[in-house]
Amino acid sequence: MSVNVPLGPLLDPAFHLGSVPTTWAELLGFATGAVNVWLVVRQNILNWPIGIANVILLGLVFLDGGLYADAGLQVVYVALQLYGWWVWLYGGDGRDRLPVRRTRGAEWAALIAAGAAGTALLTWALSAWTDSTVPFWDALTTALSLMATYGQSRKLLESWWLWIAADLVYIPLYFAKDLKLTSALYLVFLALCVSGLLAWHRDLRARPLAPAAAV
């Protein structure tokens, strides 16, 4: 089944990289995406509203490029962005700001199980119901991104490793789909994710340990 949706002037070419057109949505997605990840690295709350703008723009790009799971993922991202915005403000002890922490064993088990099930289900759905040429890779990056976004919303240090894994697949995937600027954006994302991992790790180590409970 082919999906054809009129998406308006945001998908008009802004410029060309060689013979490949780069749309306004892809260009604006590049800018908002880079700012968004930079703000996440700095644990700045403004990453969430900018992230909402970014996922809407990239949703248009992915839908136009036939990456249907990634396009649908952006709808879920909007909800997760709103959730993360609230949790970063009020999710800590005493409903204060949330601190960085490590992922617990039970959380890892739940994330891995959900990611594996999501990848399998999406691969089947994309193969059966769409004309996607990359159903497994589209599904895998979708699952990894959802896992990473949930971890980011809880300020789990290891969410950066999930983003790094996703980016290592996204970069060649988008390049193969002629989304050259988006592929370049994910190279920037990869560097920012490494920076974020190091920054959050420093923050975690610098935070004083909670005092032991009195016996």
Side-chain angles (χ1 to χ4, degrees), residues 31-51 88 152 155 160 192 200:
T32 56
V35 171
N36 171 240
V37 179
W38 181 75
L39 290 171
V40 175
V41 172
R42 298 175 63 85
Q43 299 183 52
N44 189 310
I45 198 71
L46 291 177
N47 85 84
W48 297 109
I50 291 175
W88 275 37
Q152 178 187 312
K155 284 197 182 177
W160 289 112
L192 286 171
W200 282 28

Side-chain angles (χ1 to χ4, degrees), residues 1-81:
M1 180 182 70
S2 177
V3 177
N4 296 303
V5 181
L7 296 172
L10 281 172
L11 291 179
D12 290 341
F15 60 90
H16 287 72
L17 291 173
S19 61
V20 179
T22 296
T23 65
W24 285 104
E26 190 176 359
L27 179 62
L28 292 171
F30 182 106
T32 56
V35 171
N36 171 240
V37 179
W38 181 75
L39 290 171
V40 175
V41 172
R42 298 175 63 85
Q43 299 183 52
N44 189 310
I45 198 71
L46 291 177
N47 85 84
W48 297 109
I50 291 175
I52 290 171
N54 174 251
V55 299
I56 291 171
L57 288 164
L58 291 183
L60 296 177
V61 173
F62 299 150
L63 185 59
D64 186 54
L67 294 167
Y68 304 124
D70 271 342
L73 172 63
Q74 307 312 304
V75 178
V76 180
Y77 269 155
V78 171
L80 283 175
Q81 296 277 347

